[in-house]
């Protein structure tokens, strides 16, 4: 009898740990909430760069969603076109295509900033086709050209840009049960979803920007 009880306890513990692991790493979908659920006002930008009638903040987020809807596969490649023109992409392309659809061509903008501040970027040979697809360069570019904001998650808004030590993504307009935003990103070939609830377990956030 004692042996059966012990086996049962071990089985229960295993199930609990397995569930926690699957939930933590987003294998089990997390319930999504909105700003309204927490009494947070949606941020609306006063700028409409491409003149399409949609404010930049909303435009960036909508175009990020359009990009991930194409279900890009993760692979780091060099493109003579700068922007990927096939089924592949990396984390920086989520940001790149989001801003491009709102009227901001990071390939041109980052290159111009590198030319003007080359010592900041510590780049010996400038390559317009790849420089804007590197996290380190985007961090410097946004330091120079975007609004740097708080690390208080509850003040973050969909369309904001988040930079990690070796990664980058866009803040979603969805939040978890604690009011912490989801992130839209592309981190690896085995990533199950492009929109994930991971910010509470990340310890390497180095930048938060609004463009």
């Amino acid at each position: 009898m004692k042996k059966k009880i012990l086996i049962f306890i071990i089985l229960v513990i295993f199930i609990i740990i397995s569930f926690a692991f699957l939930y933590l790493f987003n294998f089990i979908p997390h319930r999504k909430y909105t700003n309204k659920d927490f009494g947070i006002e949606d941020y609306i930008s006063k700028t409409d760069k491409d003149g399409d009638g949609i404010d930049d903040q909303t435009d960036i987020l909508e175009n990020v969603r359009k990009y991930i809807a194409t279900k890009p596969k993760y692979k780091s490649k060099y493109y003579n076109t700068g922007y990927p023109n096939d089924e592949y992409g990396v984390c920086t392309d989520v940001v790149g295509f989001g801003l491009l659809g709102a009227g901001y061509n990071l390939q041109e903008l980052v290159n111009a900033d590198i030319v003007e501040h080359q010592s900041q970027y510590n780049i010996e040979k400038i390559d317009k086709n790849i420089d804007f697809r590197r996290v380190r360069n985007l961090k410097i570019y946004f330091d120079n050209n975007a609004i740097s904001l708080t690390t208080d998650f509850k003040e973050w808004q969909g369309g904001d840009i988040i930079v990690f030590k070796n990664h980058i993504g866009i803040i979603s307009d969805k939040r978890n049960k604690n009011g912490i935003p989801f992130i839209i990103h592309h981190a690896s070939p085995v990533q199950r979803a492009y929109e994930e609830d991971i910010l509470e377990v990340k310890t390497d956030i180095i930048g938060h920007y609004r463009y």
Side-chain angles (χ1 to χ4, degrees), residues 53-67:
I54 303 174
D55 74 283
D56 282 354
Q57 190 81 5
T58 304
D59 215 358
I60 290 170
L61 182 59
E62 287 186 358
N63 280 283
V64 164
R65 292 197 179 282
K66 288 179 183 178
Y67 172 68

Side-chain angles (χ1 to χ4, degrees), residues 158-177:
D160 285 356
I161 300 159
I162 181 170
V163 182
F164 305 92
K165 187 175 181 180
N166 295 300
H167 187 48
I168 192 169
I170 295 289
I171 296 299
S172 168
D173 56 345
K174 306 303 180 185
R175 298 175 182 269
N176 67 18
K177 62 182 180 180

Side-chain angles (χ1 to χ4, degrees), residues 92 95 106 110 113 120-121 131-146 148 161-168 204-209:
T92 51
V95 178
L106 286 181
V110 172
D113 202 58
Q120 289 185 24
Y121 288 86
D131 290 337
F132 77 108
R133 298 180 66 225
R134 300 191 189 283
V135 173
R136 179 184 179 278
N137 294 341
L138 287 181
K139 170 70 167 61
I140 297 171
Y141 174 77
F142 290 128
D143 280 337
N144 292 344
N145 297 278
S148 183
I161 300 159
I162 181 170
V163 182
F164 305 92
K165 187 175 181 180
N166 295 300
H167 187 48
I168 192 169
D204 60 339
I205 299 171
I206 60 174
H208 167 216
Y209 305 92

Side-chain angles (χ1 to χ4, degrees), residues 31-134:
R31 182 176 176 182
K32 297 175 181 177
Y33 300 82
T34 65
N35 283 347
K36 185 177 180 181
D37 292 314
F38 298 94
I40 300 172
E41 185 177 351
D42 290 337
Y43 172 77
I44 304 296
S45 172
K46 296 180 181 179
T47 306
D48 176 13
K49 173 68 174 178
D50 58 3
D52 63 352
I54 303 174
D55 74 283
D56 282 354
Q57 190 81 5
T58 304
D59 215 358
I60 290 170
L61 182 59
E62 287 186 358
N63 280 283
V64 164
R65 292 197 179 282
K66 288 179 183 178
Y67 172 68
I68 62 171
T70 66
K71 298 183 178 180
K73 299 176 182 178
Y74 190 92
K75 182 185 286 188
S76 181
K77 296 172 59 180
Y78 181 91
Y79 295 88
N80 291 324
T81 54
Y83 290 93
N85 56 6
D86 55 16
E87 61 183 341
Y88 298 104
V90 292
C91 64
T92 51
D93 297 316
V94 175
V95 178
F97 279 106
L99 269 68
L100 183 64
Y104 298 96
N105 188 334
L106 286 181
Q107 183 180 15
E108 300 293 339
L109 293 169
V110 172
N111 183 72
D113 202 58
I114 290 175
V115 170
E116 185 175 353
H117 307 103
Q118 190 168 351
S119 61
Q120 289 185 24
Y121 288 86
N122 193 27
I123 294 176
E124 293 184 6
K125 184 180 180 180
I126 297 175
D127 187 339
K128 182 178 179 179
N129 292 330
I130 191 64
D131 290 337
F132 77 108
R133 298 180 66 225
R134 300 191 189 283

Side-chain angles (χ1 to χ4, degrees), residues 179-190:
I180 309 302
F182 282 58
I183 175 178
I184 304 174
H185 67 142
H186 197 182
S188 77
V190 297

